[in-house]
mmCIF file of all heavy atoms in Angstrom:
data_model
loop_
_atom_site.group_PDB
_atom_site.id
_atom_site.type_symbol
_atom_site.label_atom_id
_atom_site.label_comp_id
_atom_site.label_asym_id
_atom_site.label_seq_id
_atom_site.Cartn_x
_atom_site.Cartn_y
_atom_site.Cartn_z
ATOM 1 N N SER A 75 -102.568 -87.921 -69.540
ATOM 2 C CA SER A 75 -102.692 -86.438 -69.791
ATOM 3 C C SER A 75 -103.578 -86.243 -70.895
ATOM 4 O O SER A 75 -104.373 -85.209 -70.949
ATOM 5 C CB SER A 75 -101.485 -85.782 -69.927
ATOM 6 O OG SER A 75 -100.626 -86.335 -71.007
ATOM 7 N N SER A 76 -103.563 -87.038 -71.986
ATOM 8 C CA SER A 76 -104.442 -86.894 -73.080
ATOM 9 C C SER A 76 -105.888 -87.028 -72.781
ATOM 10 O O SER A 76 -106.727 -86.246 -73.235
ATOM 11 C CB SER A 76 -103.992 -87.830 -74.333
ATOM 12 O OG SER A 76 -102.707 -87.488 -74.775
ATOM 13 N N VAL A 77 -106.085 -88.087 -72.106
ATOM 14 C CA VAL A 77 -107.428 -88.424 -71.616
ATOM 15 C C VAL A 77 -108.124 -87.146 -70.710
ATOM 16 O O VAL A 77 -109.112 -86.744 -70.919
ATOM 17 C CB VAL A 77 -107.652 -89.588 -70.913
ATOM 18 C CG1 VAL A 77 -109.092 -89.903 -70.323
ATOM 19 C CG2 VAL A 77 -107.384 -90.756 -71.968
ATOM 20 N N LEU A 78 -107.203 -86.626 -69.808
ATOM 21 C CA LEU A 78 -107.654 -85.647 -68.934
ATOM 22 C C LEU A 78 -107.876 -84.382 -69.709
ATOM 23 O O LEU A 78 -108.998 -83.703 -69.500
ATOM 24 C CB LEU A 78 -106.640 -85.401 -67.917
ATOM 25 C CG LEU A 78 -106.494 -86.484 -66.663
ATOM 26 C CD1 LEU A 78 -105.304 -86.106 -65.870
ATOM 27 C CD2 LEU A 78 -107.787 -86.521 -65.930
ATOM 28 N N ILE A 79 -107.042 -83.971 -70.663
ATOM 29 C CA ILE A 79 -107.299 -82.706 -71.374
ATOM 30 C C ILE A 79 -108.429 -82.867 -72.295
ATOM 31 O O ILE A 79 -109.303 -81.870 -72.345
ATOM 32 C CB ILE A 79 -105.979 -82.381 -72.301
ATOM 33 C CG1 ILE A 79 -104.752 -82.088 -71.316
ATOM 34 C CG2 ILE A 79 -106.283 -81.289 -73.337
ATOM 35 C CD1 ILE A 79 -104.930 -80.895 -70.525
ATOM 36 N N MET A 80 -108.599 -84.029 -73.029
ATOM 37 C CA MET A 80 -109.866 -84.185 -73.758
ATOM 38 C C MET A 80 -111.035 -84.126 -72.910
ATOM 39 O O MET A 80 -112.163 -83.490 -73.292
ATOM 40 C CB MET A 80 -109.755 -85.488 -74.524
ATOM 41 C CG MET A 80 -108.752 -85.407 -75.710
ATOM 42 S SD MET A 80 -108.916 -86.795 -76.851
ATOM 43 C CE MET A 80 -107.730 -87.841 -76.034
ATOM 44 N N GLY A 81 -111.106 -84.742 -71.779
ATOM 45 C CA GLY A 81 -112.245 -84.609 -70.844
ATOM 46 C C GLY A 81 -112.533 -83.296 -70.376
ATOM 47 O O GLY A 81 -113.822 -82.854 -70.313
ATOM 48 N N VAL A 82 -111.529 -82.540 -70.163
ATOM 49 C CA VAL A 82 -111.673 -81.105 -69.590
ATOM 50 C C VAL A 82 -112.247 -80.260 -70.694
ATOM 51 O O VAL A 82 -113.211 -79.416 -70.546
ATOM 52 C CB VAL A 82 -110.387 -80.421 -69.092
ATOM 53 C CG1 VAL A 82 -110.542 -78.980 -68.942
ATOM 54 C CG2 VAL A 82 -109.955 -81.086 -67.726
ATOM 55 N N PHE A 83 -111.769 -80.508 -71.935
ATOM 56 C CA PHE A 83 -112.272 -79.787 -73.127
ATOM 57 C C PHE A 83 -113.685 -80.165 -73.306
ATOM 58 O O PHE A 83 -114.578 -79.243 -73.613
ATOM 59 C CB PHE A 83 -111.379 -80.048 -74.323
ATOM 60 C CG PHE A 83 -112.031 -79.442 -75.643
ATOM 61 C CD1 PHE A 83 -111.702 -77.945 -75.863
ATOM 62 C CD2 PHE A 83 -112.772 -80.065 -76.548
ATOM 63 C CE1 PHE A 83 -112.203 -77.374 -77.046
ATOM 64 C CE2 PHE A 83 -113.215 -79.526 -77.624
ATOM 65 C CZ PHE A 83 -112.998 -78.183 -77.952
ATOM 66 N N ALA A 84 -113.980 -81.503 -73.348
ATOM 67 C CA ALA A 84 -115.416 -81.874 -73.561
ATOM 68 C C ALA A 84 -116.421 -81.348 -72.659
ATOM 69 O O ALA A 84 -117.465 -81.036 -72.821
ATOM 70 C CB ALA A 84 -115.449 -83.379 -73.599
ATOM 71 N N ALA A 85 -116.026 -81.378 -71.340
ATOM 72 C CA ALA A 85 -116.702 -80.760 -70.275
ATOM 73 C C ALA A 85 -117.044 -79.215 -70.404
ATOM 74 O O ALA A 85 -118.223 -78.875 -70.331
ATOM 75 C CB ALA A 85 -116.057 -81.047 -68.827
ATOM 76 N N CYS A 86 -115.904 -78.634 -70.839
ATOM 77 C CA CYS A 86 -116.147 -77.091 -70.935
ATOM 78 C C CYS A 86 -117.012 -76.815 -72.105
ATOM 79 O O CYS A 86 -117.992 -75.972 -72.082
ATOM 80 C CB CYS A 86 -114.812 -76.506 -71.306
ATOM 81 S SG CYS A 86 -113.788 -76.376 -69.784
ATOM 82 N N TRP A 87 -116.847 -77.625 -73.324
ATOM 83 C CA TRP A 87 -117.667 -77.344 -74.449
ATOM 84 C C TRP A 87 -119.071 -77.705 -74.193
ATOM 85 O O TRP A 87 -120.093 -77.177 -74.584
ATOM 86 C CB TRP A 87 -117.108 -78.198 -75.694
ATOM 87 C CG TRP A 87 -117.807 -77.883 -77.008
ATOM 88 C CD1 TRP A 87 -118.633 -78.725 -77.643
ATOM 89 C CD2 TRP A 87 -117.698 -76.551 -77.659
ATOM 90 N NE1 TRP A 87 -119.080 -78.103 -78.834
ATOM 91 C CE2 TRP A 87 -118.576 -76.819 -78.816
ATOM 92 C CE3 TRP A 87 -117.106 -75.433 -77.473
ATOM 93 C CZ2 TRP A 87 -118.681 -75.744 -79.688
ATOM 94 C CZ3 TRP A 87 -117.223 -74.460 -78.407
ATOM 95 C CH2 TRP A 87 -118.118 -74.572 -79.551
ATOM 96 N N GLY A 88 -119.295 -78.823 -73.502
ATOM 97 C CA GLY A 88 -120.686 -79.229 -73.027
ATOM 98 C C GLY A 88 -121.410 -78.268 -72.176
ATOM 99 O O GLY A 88 -122.563 -77.994 -72.182
ATOM 100 N N GLU A 89 -120.443 -77.662 -71.294
ATOM 101 C CA GLU A 89 -121.280 -76.638 -70.424
ATOM 102 C C GLU A 89 -121.539 -75.302 -71.323
ATOM 103 O O GLU A 89 -122.556 -74.770 -70.948
ATOM 104 C CB GLU A 89 -120.150 -76.217 -69.349
ATOM 105 C CG GLU A 89 -120.597 -75.110 -68.328
ATOM 106 C CD GLU A 89 -121.834 -75.754 -67.465
ATOM 107 O OE1 GLU A 89 -121.902 -76.855 -67.228
ATOM 108 O OE2 GLU A 89 -122.599 -74.862 -67.090
ATOM 109 N N ILE A 90 -120.717 -75.008 -72.183
ATOM 110 C CA ILE A 90 -120.994 -73.781 -73.023
ATOM 111 C C ILE A 90 -122.182 -74.191 -73.800
ATOM 112 O O ILE A 90 -123.042 -73.203 -74.021
ATOM 113 C CB ILE A 90 -119.811 -73.485 -73.954
ATOM 114 C CG1 ILE A 90 -118.621 -72.936 -73.090
ATOM 115 C CG2 ILE A 90 -120.116 -72.478 -75.133
ATOM 116 C CD1 ILE A 90 -117.271 -72.893 -73.896
ATOM 117 N N THR A 91 -122.195 -75.264 -74.596
ATOM 118 C CA THR A 91 -123.427 -75.544 -75.437
ATOM 119 C C THR A 91 -124.666 -75.771 -74.539
ATOM 120 O O THR A 91 -125.814 -75.421 -75.118
ATOM 121 C CB THR A 91 -123.103 -76.845 -76.332
ATOM 122 O OG1 THR A 91 -122.764 -77.946 -75.358
ATOM 123 C CG2 THR A 91 -122.038 -76.528 -77.233
ATOM 124 N N GLY A 92 -124.534 -76.215 -73.392
ATOM 125 C CA GLY A 92 -125.708 -76.416 -72.594
ATOM 126 C C GLY A 92 -126.352 -75.085 -72.125
ATOM 127 O O GLY A 92 -127.531 -74.956 -71.877
ATOM 128 N N ARG A 93 -125.530 -74.155 -71.920
ATOM 129 C CA ARG A 93 -125.956 -72.850 -71.464
ATOM 130 C C ARG A 93 -126.650 -72.035 -72.682
ATOM 131 O O ARG A 93 -127.332 -71.219 -72.364
ATOM 132 C CB ARG A 93 -124.802 -72.046 -70.828
ATOM 133 C CG ARG A 93 -124.368 -72.555 -69.430
ATOM 134 C CD ARG A 93 -123.365 -71.713 -68.881
ATOM 135 N NE ARG A 93 -122.867 -72.280 -67.771
ATOM 136 C CZ ARG A 93 -122.561 -71.529 -66.607
ATOM 137 N NH1 ARG A 93 -122.621 -70.281 -66.659
ATOM 138 N NH2 ARG A 93 -122.225 -72.311 -65.450
ATOM 139 N N LEU A 94 -126.168 -72.227 -73.822
ATOM 140 C CA LEU A 94 -126.752 -71.679 -75.087
ATOM 141 C C LEU A 94 -128.211 -72.120 -75.407
ATOM 142 O O LEU A 94 -128.891 -71.391 -76.005
ATOM 143 C CB LEU A 94 -125.885 -71.865 -76.249
ATOM 144 C CG LEU A 94 -124.459 -71.146 -76.128
ATOM 145 C CD1 LEU A 94 -123.655 -71.482 -77.442
ATOM 146 C CD2 LEU A 94 -124.695 -69.554 -76.138
ATOM 147 N N GLY A 95 -128.660 -73.333 -74.801
ATOM 148 C CA GLY A 95 -129.859 -73.628 -75.147
ATOM 149 C C GLY A 95 -129.987 -74.620 -76.216
ATOM 150 O O GLY A 95 -128.893 -74.869 -76.976
ATOM 151 N N SER A 96 -131.143 -75.010 -76.684
ATOM 152 C CA SER A 96 -131.358 -75.981 -77.692
ATOM 153 C C SER A 96 -132.286 -75.432 -78.711
ATOM 154 O O SER A 96 -132.822 -76.172 -79.599
ATOM 155 C CB SER A 96 -131.913 -77.156 -77.158
ATOM 156 O OG SER A 96 -133.116 -77.027 -76.519
ATOM 157 N N SER A 97 -132.079 -74.174 -78.946
ATOM 158 C CA SER A 97 -133.058 -73.523 -80.145
ATOM 159 C C SER A 97 -132.378 -73.830 -81.346
ATOM 160 O O SER A 97 -131.187 -74.099 -81.506
ATOM 161 C CB SER A 97 -133.158 -71.999 -79.967
ATOM 162 O OG SER A 97 -131.893 -71.331 -80.152
ATOM 163 N N ALA A 98 -133.108 -73.725 -82.472
ATOM 164 C CA ALA A 98 -132.588 -73.990 -83.881
ATOM 165 C C ALA A 98 -131.390 -72.893 -84.234
ATOM 166 O O ALA A 98 -130.441 -73.318 -84.788
ATOM 167 C CB ALA A 98 -133.649 -73.866 -84.924
ATOM 168 N N ARG A 99 -131.577 -71.759 -83.815
ATOM 169 C CA ARG A 99 -130.483 -70.732 -83.979
ATOM 170 C C ARG A 99 -129.396 -71.011 -83.196
ATOM 171 O O ARG A 99 -128.107 -70.929 -83.796
ATOM 172 C CB ARG A 99 -131.057 -69.345 -83.535
ATOM 173 C CG ARG A 99 -130.198 -68.181 -83.993
ATOM 174 C CD ARG A 99 -130.948 -66.873 -83.598
ATOM 175 N NE ARG A 99 -130.026 -65.861 -84.094
ATOM 176 C CZ ARG A 99 -130.408 -64.644 -84.608
ATOM 177 N NH1 ARG A 99 -131.664 -64.435 -84.746
ATOM 178 N NH2 ARG A 99 -129.542 -63.774 -84.770
ATOM 179 N N ALA A 100 -129.428 -71.426 -81.963
ATOM 180 C CA ALA A 100 -128.173 -71.789 -81.197
ATOM 181 C C ALA A 100 -127.510 -73.025 -81.711
ATOM 182 O O ALA A 100 -126.331 -72.957 -81.802
ATOM 183 C CB ALA A 100 -128.598 -72.057 -79.704
ATOM 184 N N THR A 101 -128.336 -74.012 -82.168
ATOM 185 C CA THR A 101 -127.734 -75.261 -82.852
ATOM 186 C C THR A 101 -126.950 -74.873 -84.109
ATOM 187 O O THR A 101 -125.823 -75.266 -84.316
ATOM 188 C CB THR A 101 -128.875 -76.266 -83.103
ATOM 189 O OG1 THR A 101 -129.558 -76.570 -81.823
ATOM 190 C CG2 THR A 101 -128.149 -77.475 -83.711
ATOM 191 N N CYS A 102 -127.607 -74.002 -84.816
ATOM 192 C CA CYS A 102 -126.830 -73.493 -86.176
ATOM 193 C C CYS A 102 -125.646 -72.881 -85.852
ATOM 194 O O CYS A 102 -124.564 -73.101 -86.457
ATOM 195 C CB CYS A 102 -127.712 -72.746 -86.959
ATOM 196 S SG CYS A 102 -127.069 -72.202 -88.499
ATOM 197 N N ALA A 103 -125.582 -71.890 -84.796
ATOM 198 C CA ALA A 103 -124.447 -71.148 -84.428
ATOM 199 C C ALA A 103 -123.348 -72.121 -83.964
ATOM 200 O O ALA A 103 -122.226 -71.973 -84.311
ATOM 201 C CB ALA A 103 -124.815 -70.140 -83.380
ATOM 202 N N LEU A 104 -123.638 -73.122 -83.181
ATOM 203 C CA LEU A 104 -122.741 -74.064 -82.726
ATOM 204 C C LEU A 104 -122.131 -74.922 -83.767
ATOM 205 O O LEU A 104 -120.877 -75.215 -83.684
ATOM 206 C CB LEU A 104 -123.319 -75.010 -81.577
ATOM 207 C CG LEU A 104 -123.807 -74.366 -80.201
ATOM 208 C CD1 LEU A 104 -124.532 -75.364 -79.392
ATOM 209 C CD2 LEU A 104 -122.405 -74.003 -79.612
ATOM 210 N N LEU A 105 -122.944 -75.225 -84.696
ATOM 211 C CA LEU A 105 -122.283 -76.061 -85.786
ATOM 212 C C LEU A 105 -121.333 -75.191 -86.582
ATOM 213 O O LEU A 105 -120.266 -75.640 -87.071
ATOM 214 C CB LEU A 105 -123.516 -76.507 -86.751
ATOM 215 C CG LEU A 105 -124.401 -77.570 -86.219
ATOM 216 C CD1 LEU A 105 -125.605 -77.865 -87.102
ATOM 217 C CD2 LEU A 105 -123.592 -78.819 -86.099
ATOM 218 N N VAL A 106 -121.668 -73.898 -86.771
ATOM 219 C CA VAL A 106 -120.783 -73.071 -87.552
ATOM 220 C C VAL A 106 -119.614 -72.806 -86.804
ATOM 221 O O VAL A 106 -118.338 -72.878 -87.316
ATOM 222 C CB VAL A 106 -121.519 -71.721 -87.995
ATOM 223 C CG1 VAL A 106 -120.576 -70.804 -88.566
ATOM 224 C CG2 VAL A 106 -122.549 -71.924 -88.963
ATOM 225 N N ILE A 107 -119.647 -72.532 -85.452
ATOM 226 C CA ILE A 107 -118.497 -72.292 -84.705
ATOM 227 C C ILE A 107 -117.618 -73.551 -84.628
ATOM 228 O O ILE A 107 -116.298 -73.361 -84.757
ATOM 229 C CB ILE A 107 -118.849 -71.728 -83.285
ATOM 230 C CG1 ILE A 107 -119.574 -70.299 -83.314
ATOM 231 C CG2 ILE A 107 -117.850 -71.842 -82.304
ATOM 232 C CD1 ILE A 107 -120.291 -69.950 -82.029
ATOM 233 N N SER A 108 -118.129 -74.588 -84.278
ATOM 234 C CA SER A 108 -117.388 -75.914 -84.255
ATOM 235 C C SER A 108 -116.710 -76.104 -85.532
ATOM 236 O O SER A 108 -115.569 -76.598 -85.661
ATOM 237 C CB SER A 108 -118.343 -77.028 -84.015
ATOM 238 O OG SER A 108 -118.908 -76.909 -82.733
ATOM 239 N N SER A 109 -117.349 -75.892 -86.677
ATOM 240 C CA SER A 109 -116.759 -76.171 -87.969
ATOM 241 C C SER A 109 -115.544 -75.222 -88.273
ATOM 242 O O SER A 109 -114.503 -75.748 -88.716
ATOM 243 C CB SER A 109 -117.807 -76.041 -89.124
ATOM 244 O OG SER A 109 -118.815 -76.873 -88.997
ATOM 245 N N VAL A 110 -115.730 -73.954 -87.883
ATOM 246 C CA VAL A 110 -114.665 -72.968 -88.072
ATOM 247 C C VAL A 110 -113.465 -73.412 -87.269
ATOM 248 O O VAL A 110 -112.374 -73.300 -87.723
ATOM 249 C CB VAL A 110 -115.195 -71.471 -87.786
ATOM 250 C CG1 VAL A 110 -114.095 -70.541 -87.877
ATOM 251 C CG2 VAL A 110 -116.121 -71.195 -88.939
ATOM 252 N N ILE A 111 -113.742 -73.606 -85.957
ATOM 253 C CA ILE A 111 -112.593 -74.069 -85.087
ATOM 254 C C ILE A 111 -111.882 -75.337 -85.651
ATOM 255 O O ILE A 111 -110.577 -75.242 -85.636
ATOM 256 C CB ILE A 111 -113.248 -74.337 -83.586
ATOM 257 C CG1 ILE A 111 -113.617 -73.036 -82.921
ATOM 258 C CG2 ILE A 111 -112.088 -74.902 -82.792
ATOM 259 C CD1 ILE A 111 -114.310 -73.179 -81.736
ATOM 260 N N SER A 112 -112.694 -76.342 -86.178
ATOM 261 C CA SER A 112 -112.099 -77.480 -86.719
ATOM 262 C C SER A 112 -111.142 -77.130 -87.891
ATOM 263 O O SER A 112 -110.042 -77.752 -88.082
ATOM 264 C CB SER A 112 -113.099 -78.533 -87.079
ATOM 265 O OG SER A 112 -113.860 -78.907 -85.991
ATOM 266 N N LEU A 113 -111.760 -76.348 -88.820
ATOM 267 C CA LEU A 113 -110.877 -75.901 -89.920
ATOM 268 C C LEU A 113 -109.667 -75.122 -89.525
ATOM 269 O O LEU A 113 -108.550 -75.491 -90.097
ATOM 270 C CB LEU A 113 -111.751 -74.979 -90.880
ATOM 271 C CG LEU A 113 -112.872 -75.739 -91.747
ATOM 272 C CD1 LEU A 113 -113.682 -74.819 -92.396
ATOM 273 C CD2 LEU A 113 -112.168 -76.719 -92.652
ATOM 274 N N LEU A 114 -109.732 -74.247 -88.518
ATOM 275 C CA LEU A 114 -108.588 -73.596 -88.081
ATOM 276 C C LEU A 114 -107.504 -74.483 -87.443
ATOM 277 O O LEU A 114 -106.274 -74.324 -87.702
ATOM 278 C CB LEU A 114 -108.976 -72.438 -86.981
ATOM 279 C CG LEU A 114 -109.795 -71.239 -87.640
ATOM 280 C CD1 LEU A 114 -110.236 -70.336 -86.524
ATOM 281 C CD2 LEU A 114 -108.832 -70.512 -88.600
ATOM 282 N N VAL A 115 -107.965 -75.416 -86.681
ATOM 283 C CA VAL A 115 -107.013 -76.374 -86.165
ATOM 284 C C VAL A 115 -106.317 -77.229 -87.251
ATOM 285 O O VAL A 115 -105.139 -77.332 -87.177
ATOM 286 C CB VAL A 115 -107.632 -77.302 -85.016
ATOM 287 C CG1 VAL A 115 -106.770 -78.487 -84.734
ATOM 288 C CG2 VAL A 115 -108.148 -76.516 -83.816
ATOM 289 N N GLY A 116 -107.082 -77.553 -88.146
ATOM 290 C CA GLY A 116 -106.558 -78.336 -89.354
ATOM 291 C C GLY A 116 -105.496 -77.507 -90.111
ATOM 292 O O GLY A 116 -104.379 -78.031 -90.564
ATOM 293 N N VAL A 117 -105.798 -76.322 -90.334
ATOM 294 C CA VAL A 117 -104.864 -75.452 -91.082
ATOM 295 C C VAL A 117 -103.538 -75.273 -90.194
ATOM 296 O O VAL A 117 -102.477 -75.179 -90.601
ATOM 297 C CB VAL A 117 -105.552 -74.034 -91.356
ATOM 298 C CG1 VAL A 117 -104.446 -72.943 -91.746
ATOM 299 C CG2 VAL A 117 -106.614 -74.277 -92.509
ATOM 300 N N VAL A 118 -103.692 -75.097 -89.020
ATOM 301 C CA VAL A 118 -102.632 -74.765 -88.004
ATOM 302 C C VAL A 118 -101.750 -76.033 -88.091
ATOM 303 O O VAL A 118 -100.435 -75.936 -88.142
ATOM 304 C CB VAL A 118 -102.920 -74.418 -86.597
ATOM 305 C CG1 VAL A 118 -101.715 -74.609 -85.756
ATOM 306 C CG2 VAL A 118 -103.675 -73.029 -86.621
ATOM 307 N N TRP A 119 -102.327 -77.272 -88.039
ATOM 308 C CA TRP A 119 -101.456 -78.420 -88.073
ATOM 309 C C TRP A 119 -100.772 -78.603 -89.476
ATOM 310 O O TRP A 119 -99.588 -78.915 -89.393
ATOM 311 C CB TRP A 119 -102.488 -79.635 -87.921
ATOM 312 C CG TRP A 119 -102.619 -80.177 -86.509
ATOM 313 C CD1 TRP A 119 -103.722 -79.908 -85.743
ATOM 314 C CD2 TRP A 119 -101.557 -80.674 -85.725
ATOM 315 N NE1 TRP A 119 -103.473 -80.452 -84.447
ATOM 316 C CE2 TRP A 119 -102.174 -80.931 -84.489
ATOM 317 C CE3 TRP A 119 -100.260 -81.085 -85.938
ATOM 318 C CZ2 TRP A 119 -101.420 -81.419 -83.401
ATOM 319 C CZ3 TRP A 119 -99.522 -81.777 -84.833
ATOM 320 C CH2 TRP A 119 -100.148 -81.860 -83.568
#
Side-chain angles (χ1 to χ4, degrees):
S75 62
S76 295
V77 168
L78 287 175
I79 292 300
M80 285 187 271
V82 167
F83 177 80
C86 290
W87 189 250
E89 184 66 27
I90 291 168
T91 57
R93 289 181 184 219
L94 290 176
S96 60
S97 69
R99 186 176 181 142
T101 301
C102 181
L104 288 172
L105 287 173
V106 170
I107 291 168
S108 297
S109 299
V110 169
I111 291 171
S112 295
L113 287 171
L114 289 174
V115 168
V117 167
V118 168
W119 269 108

